[in-house]
Amino acid sequence: MIESALNLEDIVNVDDYPIHDERHPERQALIARCRTDLENKRYCVIPDFVRPAALEFMAAEAMRLQSGAFHNNALRNCYLHRQSDPSLPPEHPRNLQDRSSVRMIAYDQISQSSPLKTFYHADAVRKTVADIIKEGDLFDNEDPYQPANYVCYRQGDESSWHFDADNSFTMTLMIQPAQNGGEFKMSPNTRTNADENYEHVASVLRGERNDTVVSIGREPGALCVFRGCHSLHRVTPVYGDVLRIMSVFVYEFRPGLVGDPEVNATIYGDRVAKR
Ligand SMILES: [Fe+2]
């Protein structure tokens, strides 16, 4: 049982989004709108989902934990691999490496009483996301590091074009935007399960298909659910002294799931590998 200084009603903007009442017409309208957006655009955004007081607490916590954040700074291709494939030509998307530089604060570093954990573990939040995704029940991830993270970007940090691995959807919360830059961009439906669409992927990576790229508004408190596995996305370089802070959450379709230790070591660093 996780106890928080803030209750769910102090964290989620239940005035606009009565997510705890499944029969409420406003909740039903929210679910319907998000399902349509997810279907048509491959992402949906719920603005002002988290209240400013909770965001302030989260931002302060992330800033306090900065010294323990793992600086994940590496060249990688858009499939999140660091190795190239000599059997493919150098211009193939699998051989195009780009830099990514982010600061990860893992679940185990975050206070048990953090509103971030209260939010993540709340039945009403999990159920709302499950209703939007429409692929059955969702369960908390039980990995020591993965379930809810702060992802921070300092001046010069960025996340290059990539697909998220494996998961059917990705869920993020904007806590504190950058002063400049740090834009969230996406090329929806870049690939499907059946077709890697390498030519199109390569043209997005080369910056030739900006007509397919959308900028997703990231006001503080906005929750975003998107098909990160099928849609190339990136965070543009951050400028200015303000730390860009977002959170990423992992829910699962089966109970009791944990992450792969090797993957965790690449995301969270030596501290995790040594355990
Ligand atoms: Fe991603």
Side-chain angles (χ1 to χ4, degrees):
M1 187 67 188
I2 286 163
E3 287 176 21
S4 165
L6 296 179
N7 299 316
L8 189 65
E9 304 77 53
D10 302 322
I11 299 168
V12 172
N13 174 7
V14 290
D15 302 323
D16 290 343
Y17 305 115
I19 57 168
H20 49 286
D21 180 358
E22 289 185 27
R23 291 192 193 166
H24 201 293
E26 282 182 34
R27 182 188 188 277
Q28 292 172 353
L30 173 73
I31 301 293
R33 197 262 294 165
C34 287
R35 281 180 178 176
T36 306
D37 284 354
L38 200 54
E39 182 103 355
N40 296 339
K41 302 195 294 192
R42 313 311 279 162
Y43 70 89
C44 62
V45 177
I46 311 177
D48 301 317
F49 192 62
V50 170
R51 295 188 192 275
L55 295 173
E56 231 171 84
F57 189 105
M58 293 171 187
E61 179 170 50
M63 287 189 272
R64 204 168 52 239
L65 293 171
Q66 271 308 290
S67 58
F70 175 61
H71 184 197
N72 187 336
N73 181 16
L75 282 173
R76 63 170 191 206
N77 67 15
C78 68
Y79 307 97
L80 304 179
H81 296 145
R82 293 175 186 177
Q83 310 296 332
S84 52
D85 184 343
S87 71
L88 296 168
E91 67 277 12
H92 191 280
R94 292 205 174 266
N95 283 334
L96 296 177
Q97 302 270 329
D98 213 337
R99 196 177 82 97
S100 190
S101 169
V102 300
R103 330 256 160 180
M104 300 298 300
I105 298 171
Y107 182 87
D108 69 318
Q109 297 175 299
I110 299 168
S111 151
Q112 286 297 94
S113 64
S114 172
L116 195 77
K117 290 192 177 178
T118 305
F119 177 84
Y120 172 76
H121 292 290
D123 291 339
V125 173
R126 191 187 317 98
K127 185 77 177 48
T128 299
V129 177
D131 284 351
I132 292 170
I133 298 296
K134 238 177 28 174
E135 290 178 32
D137 290 340
L138 290 176
F139 301 87
D140 289 354
N141 172 292
E142 291 187 17
D143 189 80
Y145 312 108
Q146 287 187 1
N149 293 172
Y150 290 115
V151 185
C152 304
Y153 295 72
R154 288 189 206 162
Q155 158 106 351
D157 289 346
E158 67 179 302
S159 184
S160 54
W161 285 117
H162 67 281
F163 295 107
D164 292 336
D166 294 335
N167 29 9
S168 134
F169 70 96
T170 306
M171 171 180 167
T172 61
L173 171 70
M174 176 48 80
I175 295 170
Q176 180 169 279
Q179 204 168 8
N180 280 302
E183 273 184 88
F184 183 44
K185 301 214 172 212
M186 183 186 299
S187 176
N189 276 332
T190 340
R191 70 172 178 183
T192 64
N193 284 342
D195 186 358
E196 285 286 347
N197 222 348
Y198 283 128
E199 229 165 89
H200 182 56
V201 169
S203 61
V204 173
L205 300 180
R206 289 195 300 260
E208 294 165 4
R209 288 305 306 271
N210 286 336
D211 57 310
T212 70
V213 174
V214 292
S215 246
I216 301 176
R218 304 305 312 276
E219 297 302 315
L223 188 78
C224 184
V225 176
F226 63 102
R227 302 288 189 187
C229 192
H230 292 141
S231 302
L232 275 176
H233 54 282
R234 68 181 292 211
V235 175
T236 64
V238 161
Y239 301 101
D241 294 336
V242 178
L243 190 68
R244 181 189 195 270
I245 307 167
M246 55 176 283
S247 182
V248 59
F249 306 94
V250 181
Y251 286 134
E252 304 287 356
F253 292 108
R254 284 184 293 135
L257 290 187
V258 298
D260 173 14
E262 274 183 43
V263 172
N264 279 351
T266 65
I267 301 174
Y268 305 109
D270 282 352
R271 175 182 78 85
V272 166
K274 282 179 190 142
R275 288 231 174 153

